[in-house]
Amino acid sequence: MIISGSVASLRVERDFMRARRFCLVALLAIGLSACGSPTDRGPADGVPSGSSSKGSVEKGKPERVPHDPPESFTARGAVALPPEATAGRTNLLGDVRDLAVALHRTSAYVASADRMQTVDLTTGKVVAVVRPRAEALGEGDDGTTPLVSADGSVVVTTFVVRQPGAGTQSPSTELEVVATTPETGKAAWITSLKIPRAWAEEDGSTPEAQVVGFAGGNVIVTVHTRHNAVTAGIDIATHQVRWTAQNIRTRTVTAEAAVGVDFLDGFGPDQLVGLDPSTGKEKWRAERNEGSTSVESAGPSLVRVWGWAEDSGARFDQLLKSGTGKVQADVPEGLDDVSCPFDQAKTLVCAAQTLLVALDSTSGKELWRLEDGQADGRFAPKVTASWHGRIYARASSTTAVALDARTGKDRPAGLDVAPVLVNEYQGLVLEDRQLLAYPTAG
């Protein structure tokens, strides 16, 4: 929001902002990025913003052609996302971490601790903003990624809030789960869950919340502190809490199970557990493990878990069948503490500083690997994103490359940018600590 002392000064500031945006359009068209970034904040709730549009708004929304997966992206028609998309999420090297942004068709959903903005990526307009009903807790970059249902009917995000006291009622902390209609960004429903007051006494920190997945007719959400957690299944149709699981921090959801760790009342060691996503009832429980057990998604039916075994003290790193907890495969050597995101097709892409490995998301089998210093002269590029069988990466500070996720082979030359998030209509590109949505071009 621009704040000025008079109508005249407001007009001057608006003229300046228009000139700066025009400059950014011109520079994007020739592949440069020296015009700076918009600093005005999002609009009032539900009021469209005219900022950051590089498309022809006057002539209506630009037409977009989907490419699945994209082979290239174009600066023509690029638009800037709100500054909240990267605030507090870039490091000194200019890399971005833990984006709280989701894509669906030509819309982006940008979450912060106190709001979620719906952005039309054909025009750059913020078409709607939803906020929690109570006072949001946490910093601006405490927002976690919104989640779009598989059928594209709803977008869900979470807010940790403080409810004020009234009369003899003490203030309380709650989790607000907010569902919006895609593209319009309008709130469809809100469901609240109370967070036990004892958590604050034991942890003294603001709880963290996350939308984990959709399964069994529910949206699965989890909220946790260092020593406490609860997972809930909320009926998508009725918006009511169907079940809760105390002490369970769920990390991933498949059609078969919601998988996470049981905090065991904060006294650990952790135990892996799989819950029925429809009812919240326990389906399986692994043997107790020492220390902190990590869990991440590994495709439509597998989960990856790693930690230290209680009996032997040996480290384990395995892919489990989510519905049974049975081991499908051991994760190959060299991938300790290396995340292996699912490309939403068939492949897990494991990328480290000097290593790139692809695993089959059904069998866990290693498909190929690239390491620095290979005999054939190839090296591991710096991966920025993977989606639907394509890996996008930087080969150097000035060059980008795309690889086939199943074979590891370089795709035909022509990739000019390395996006950090991709779908069939656009790739989000980080330039000067700002996210720009580049339309797909082929």
Side-chain angles (χ1 to χ4, degrees):
M1 180 180 293
I2 301 173
I3 302 175
S4 59
S6 67
V7 173
S9 62
L10 177 60
R11 289 172 178 166
V12 169
E13 288 182 31
R14 286 176 174 167
D15 290 343
F16 172 76
M17 292 297 289
R18 291 192 185 103
R20 186 173 64 176
R21 291 174 194 128
F22 178 81
C23 177
L24 179 57
V25 176
L27 290 175
L28 283 171
I30 61 174
L32 301 176
S33 57
C35 267
S37 61
T39 57
D40 50 330
R41 295 182 64 80
D45 295 14
V47 181
S49 165
S51 67
S52 306
S53 175
K54 281 78 175 177
S56 178
V57 179
E58 293 78 13
K59 296 181 181 180
K61 292 176 62 172
E63 214 174 306
R64 289 286 173 84
V65 177
H67 300 89
D68 187 359
E71 295 284 357
S72 61
F73 306 86
T74 176
R76 183 177 182 180
V79 300
L81 271 70
E84 290 85 356
T86 54
R89 299 179 185 274
T90 57
N91 60 25
L92 295 176
L93 298 176
D95 296 322
V96 68
R97 60 170 181 81
D98 301 330
L99 277 181
V101 178
L103 297 177
H104 176 64
R105 296 183 60 81
T106 56
S107 294
Y109 309 95
V110 181
S112 306
D114 65 347
R115 73 188 72 179
M116 186 185 77
Q117 302 175 72
T118 297
V119 186
D120 184 336
L121 296 179
T122 66
T123 64
K125 287 186 175 182
V126 176
V127 298
V129 180
V130 293
R131 303 175 188 270
R133 294 175 295 192
E135 176 192 1
L137 300 178
E139 303 297 328
D141 61 349
D142 285 339
T144 55
T145 307
L147 210 59
V148 185
S149 61
D151 62 2
S153 63
V154 69
V155 183
V156 181
T157 192
T158 57
F159 300 103
V160 176
V161 302
R162 179 182 183 275
Q163 287 286 0
T168 60
Q169 180 64 50
S170 301
S172 62
T173 304
E174 293 186 1
L175 173 65
E176 286 193 18
V177 181
V178 181
T180 63
T181 303
E183 299 181 359
T184 69
K186 294 181 179 180
W189 50 267
I190 299 177
T191 298
S192 297
L193 295 88
K194 284 192 176 297
I195 297 174
R197 188 173 290 108
W199 287 21
E201 298 172 0
E202 296 173 10
D203 286 279
S205 60
T206 301
E208 299 177 26
Q210 182 181 7
V211 185
V212 192
F214 296 87
N218 297 324
V219 55
I220 314 299
V221 299
T222 192
V223 58
H224 68 94
T225 56
R226 184 177 179 182
H227 300 295
N228 295 279
V230 65
T231 291
I234 301 173
D235 191 300
I236 298 173
T238 66
H239 322 146
Q240 301 300 309
V241 177
R242 187 183 291 181
W243 57 264
T244 59
Q246 298 298 321
N247 297 321
I248 306 295
R249 181 185 178 186
T250 299
R251 302 304 301 271
T252 184
V253 173
T254 70
E256 292 82 18
V259 181
V261 295
D262 188 337
F263 278 18
L264 298 178
D265 293 318
F267 295 103
D270 299 337
Q271 281 187 289
L272 289 170
V273 62
L275 307 178
D276 184 322
S278 299
T279 64
K281 293 182 178 179
E282 188 175 305
K283 296 186 69 174
W284 57 266
R285 181 176 289 263
E287 294 181 1
R288 185 170 295 181
N289 300 303
E290 288 282 1
S292 178
T293 302
S294 298
V295 183
E296 72 175 6
S297 173
S301 61
L302 299 179
V303 296
R304 182 189 180 190
V305 299
W306 65 96
W308 299 92
E310 180 187 20
D311 52 357
S312 64
R315 180 178 174 81
F316 65 90
D317 193 348
Q318 299 170 322
L319 297 175
L320 306 183
K321 296 179 180 179
S322 63
T324 64
K326 302 296 183 182
V327 177
Q328 173 67 34
D330 290 325
V331 173
E333 293 183 3
L335 298 179
D336 291 359
D337 299 320
V338 176
S339 183
C340 298
F342 178 48
D343 76 342
Q344 304 301 314
K346 300 178 181 179
T347 311
L348 306 177
V349 179
C350 313
Q353 187 171 2
T354 60
L355 179 67
L356 177 56
V357 179
L359 309 178
D360 183 83
S361 64
T362 301
S363 67
K365 178 183 177 181
E366 181 175 324
L367 300 174
W368 54 268
R369 70 169 53 203
L370 285 176
E371 297 181 81
D372 288 1
Q374 288 187 177
D376 60 4
R378 297 188 74 196
F379 60 91
K382 186 174 182 179
V383 174
T384 56
S386 58
W387 190 72
H388 283 199
R390 291 291 179 273
I391 298 173
Y392 306 95
R394 289 198 294 267
S396 71
S397 60
T398 58
T399 58
V401 63
L403 289 76
D404 186 296
R406 300 300 290 178
T407 66
K409 294 181 178 180
D410 290 0
R411 296 295 302 172
L415 189 66
D416 296 323
V417 293
V420 297
L421 193 62
V422 178
N423 73 356
E424 69 271 32
Y425 288 99
Q426 57 271 310
L428 302 189
V429 178
L430 186 67
E431 293 188 7
D432 295 330
R433 302 180 185 276
Q434 179 185 38
L435 275 183
L436 301 176
Y438 277 53
T440 57

Coordinates of all heavy atoms in Angstrom, one line a residue, residues 55-89:
G55 N 1.3 -8.0 -18.6 CA 0.4 -8.3 -19.7 C -0.5 -7.2 -20.1 O -0.4 -6.1 -19.5
S56 N -1.3 -7.3 -21.1 CA -2.2 -6.3 -21.6 C -3.5 -6.4 -20.9 O -4.4 -7.0 -21.3 CB -2.3 -6.4 -23.1 OG -3.2 -5.4 -23.6
V57 N -3.6 -5.7 -19.7 CA -4.8 -5.8 -18.9 C -6.0 -5.2 -19.6 O -7.1 -5.7 -19.6 CB -4.6 -5.1 -17.6 CG1 -5.9 -5.1 -16.7 CG2 -3.5 -5.7 -16.8
E58 N -5.7 -4.1 -20.4 CA -6.8 -3.4 -21.1 C -7.5 -4.3 -22.1 O -8.7 -4.1 -22.4 CB -6.3 -2.1 -21.8 CG -5.8 -1.0 -20.8 CD -4.4 -1.3 -20.2 OE1 -3.8 -2.2 -20.7 OE2 -4.0 -0.7 -19.2
K59 N -6.7 -5.2 -22.7 CA -7.3 -6.0 -23.8 C -7.8 -7.3 -23.2 O -8.1 -8.3 -24.0 CB -6.2 -6.3 -24.8 CG -5.8 -5.0 -25.6 CD -4.7 -5.3 -26.6 CE -4.3 -4.1 -27.3 NZ -3.2 -4.3 -28.4
G60 N -7.9 -7.5 -21.9 CA -8.3 -8.7 -21.3 C -7.2 -9.6 -20.9 O -6.0 -9.3 -21.2
K61 N -7.5 -10.7 -20.3 CA -6.4 -11.7 -19.9 C -5.7 -12.3 -21.1 O -6.4 -12.8 -22.0 CB -7.1 -12.7 -19.0 CG -7.6 -12.2 -17.7 CD -8.3 -13.3 -16.9 CE -7.4 -14.5 -16.6 NZ -8.0 -15.4 -15.7
P62 N -4.4 -12.3 -21.1 CA -3.6 -12.9 -22.2 C -4.0 -14.4 -22.2 O -4.2 -15.1 -21.2 CB -2.2 -12.7 -21.8 CG -2.2 -11.6 -20.8 CD -3.5 -11.7 -20.1
E63 N -4.0 -14.9 -23.5 CA -4.3 -16.3 -23.7 C -3.0 -17.1 -23.3 O -1.9 -16.8 -23.7 CB -4.7 -16.6 -25.1 CG -5.7 -17.7 -25.2 CD -6.2 -17.8 -26.7 OE1 -6.7 -16.8 -27.2 OE2 -6.2 -18.9 -27.2
R64 N -3.2 -18.3 -22.7 CA -2.0 -19.1 -22.3 C -2.3 -20.5 -22.9 O -3.4 -21.1 -22.9 CB -1.9 -19.2 -20.8 CG -1.4 -17.9 -20.1 CD 0.1 -17.7 -20.4 NE 0.6 -16.5 -19.9 CZ 0.9 -16.2 -18.7 NH1 0.9 -17.2 -17.8 NH2 1.4 -15.0 -18.3
V65 N -1.2 -21.1 -23.4 CA -1.2 -22.5 -23.9 C -0.4 -23.3 -23.0 O 0.8 -23.0 -22.6 CB -0.5 -22.5 -25.3 CG1 -0.5 -23.9 -25.8 CG2 -1.3 -21.6 -26.3
P66 N -1.0 -24.4 -22.5 CA -0.3 -25.3 -21.5 C 0.8 -26.2 -22.2 O 0.6 -26.6 -23.4 CB -1.4 -26.2 -21.0 CG -2.4 -26.2 -22.0 CD -2.4 -24.9 -22.7
H67 N 1.9 -26.4 -21.5 CA 2.9 -27.3 -22.0 C 3.3 -28.2 -20.8 O 3.7 -27.8 -19.8 CB 4.2 -26.5 -22.4 CG 3.9 -25.6 -23.6 ND1 3.5 -24.3 -23.3 CD2 4.0 -25.7 -24.9 CE1 3.4 -23.6 -24.5 NE2 3.6 -24.5 -25.5
D68 N 3.1 -29.5 -21.1 CA 3.3 -30.5 -20.0 C 4.2 -31.7 -20.4 O 3.7 -32.5 -21.1 CB 1.9 -31.0 -19.5 CG 1.9 -31.9 -18.3 OD1 3.0 -32.1 -17.7 OD2 0.8 -32.3 -17.9
P69 N 5.4 -31.7 -19.9 CA 6.1 -30.6 -19.1 C 6.7 -29.5 -20.0 O 6.9 -29.8 -21.2 CB 7.2 -31.4 -18.4 CG 7.6 -32.4 -19.4 CD 6.3 -32.9 -20.1
P70 N 6.9 -28.4 -19.4 CA 7.5 -27.3 -20.2 C 9.0 -27.6 -20.6 O 9.7 -28.1 -19.8 CB 7.4 -26.1 -19.3 CG 6.5 -26.5 -18.2 CD 6.6 -27.9 -18.1
E71 N 9.3 -27.2 -21.8 CA 10.7 -27.3 -22.2 C 11.4 -26.0 -22.1 O 12.7 -25.9 -22.0 CB 10.8 -27.8 -23.7 CG 10.3 -29.2 -23.9 CD 11.3 -30.3 -23.4 OE1 12.4 -29.9 -23.0 OE2 10.9 -31.5 -23.5
S72 N 10.7 -24.9 -22.2 CA 11.3 -23.5 -22.1 C 10.3 -22.5 -21.6 O 9.1 -22.8 -21.5 CB 11.8 -23.1 -23.5 OG 10.7 -23.0 -24.4
F73 N 10.8 -21.4 -21.3 CA 10.0 -20.3 -20.7 C 10.3 -19.0 -21.4 O 11.4 -18.8 -21.9 CB 10.2 -20.2 -19.2 CG 10.0 -21.5 -18.4 CD1 11.0 -22.4 -18.3 CD2 8.8 -21.8 -17.9 CE1 10.9 -23.6 -17.7 CE2 8.6 -23.0 -17.2 CZ 9.6 -23.9 -17.1
T74 N 9.4 -18.0 -21.3 CA 9.6 -16.8 -22.0 C 9.4 -15.6 -21.0 O 8.5 -15.6 -20.2 CB 8.7 -16.6 -23.2 OG1 8.9 -15.3 -23.8 CG2 7.3 -16.7 -22.9
A75 N 10.2 -14.6 -21.2 CA 10.1 -13.4 -20.4 C 8.9 -12.5 -20.9 O 8.4 -11.7 -20.1 CB 11.4 -12.5 -20.4
R76 N 8.5 -12.8 -22.1 CA 7.3 -12.0 -22.6 C 6.1 -12.4 -21.9 O 5.7 -13.5 -21.8 CB 7.2 -12.3 -24.1 CG 6.1 -11.5 -24.8 CD 6.0 -11.8 -26.3 NE 4.9 -11.0 -26.9 CZ 4.6 -11.1 -28.2 NH1 5.3 -11.9 -29.0 NH2 3.7 -10.3 -28.7
G77 N 5.4 -11.4 -21.3 CA 4.2 -11.6 -20.5 C 4.5 -12.0 -19.1 O 3.6 -12.4 -18.3
A78 N 5.8 -11.9 -18.6 CA 6.1 -12.3 -17.2 C 5.5 -11.3 -16.3 O 5.4 -10.1 -16.6 CB 7.6 -12.3 -17.0
V79 N 5.1 -11.8 -15.1 CA 4.5 -10.9 -14.1 C 5.2 -11.2 -12.7 O 5.8 -12.3 -12.5 CB 3.0 -11.1 -13.9 CG1 2.3 -10.8 -15.2 CG2 2.7 -12.5 -13.4
A80 N 5.2 -10.2 -11.9 CA 5.9 -10.3 -10.6 C 4.9 -10.8 -9.5 O 3.7 -10.3 -9.5 CB 6.5 -9.0 -10.2
L81 N 5.3 -11.7 -8.6 CA 4.5 -12.1 -7.5 C 4.7 -11.1 -6.4 O 5.7 -10.3 -6.4 CB 4.9 -13.5 -7.0 CG 4.2 -14.6 -7.7 CD1 4.6 -14.8 -9.1 CD2 4.5 -15.9 -6.9
P82 N 3.8 -11.0 -5.4 CA 3.9 -10.1 -4.3 C 5.2 -10.3 -3.6 O 5.7 -11.4 -3.5 CB 2.7 -10.4 -3.4 CG 1.7 -11.1 -4.4 CD 2.5 -11.8 -5.4
P83 N 5.7 -9.2 -2.9 CA 7.0 -9.4 -2.2 C 7.0 -10.4 -1.1 O 8.0 -10.9 -0.7 CB 7.3 -8.0 -1.7 CG 5.9 -7.3 -1.8 CD 5.2 -7.9 -2.9
E84 N 5.8 -10.7 -0.5 CA 5.7 -11.7 0.5 C 6.1 -13.0 0.1 O 6.4 -13.9 0.9 CB 4.2 -11.7 1.1 CG 3.8 -10.5 1.8 CD 3.3 -9.4 0.9 OE1 3.3 -9.5 -0.3 OE2 2.8 -8.4 1.5
A85 N 6.1 -13.3 -1.2 CA 6.5 -14.6 -1.7 C 7.9 -15.0 -1.4 O 8.2 -16.2 -1.2 CB 6.3 -14.7 -3.3
T86 N 8.8 -14.0 -1.3 CA 10.2 -14.3 -1.0 C 10.7 -13.6 0.3 O 11.8 -13.8 0.7 CB 11.1 -13.8 -2.2 OG1 10.8 -12.4 -2.4 CG2 10.8 -14.6 -3.4
A87 N 9.9 -12.8 0.9 CA 10.3 -12.1 2.1 C 10.8 -13.0 3.2 O 10.1 -14.0 3.6 CB 9.2 -11.2 2.7
G88 N 12.1 -12.9 3.6 CA 12.7 -13.7 4.6 C 13.0 -15.1 4.1 O 13.4 -16.0 4.9
R89 N 12.9 -15.4 2.8 CA 13.1 -16.7 2.3 C 14.3 -16.9 1.3 O 14.4 -17.9 0.6 CB 11.8 -17.2 1.6 CG 10.7 -17.3 2.6 CD 9.4 -17.8 1.9 NE 8.2 -17.7 2.8 CZ 7.9 -18.7 3.6 NH1 8.6 -19.8 3.7 NH2 6.8 -18.5 4.4

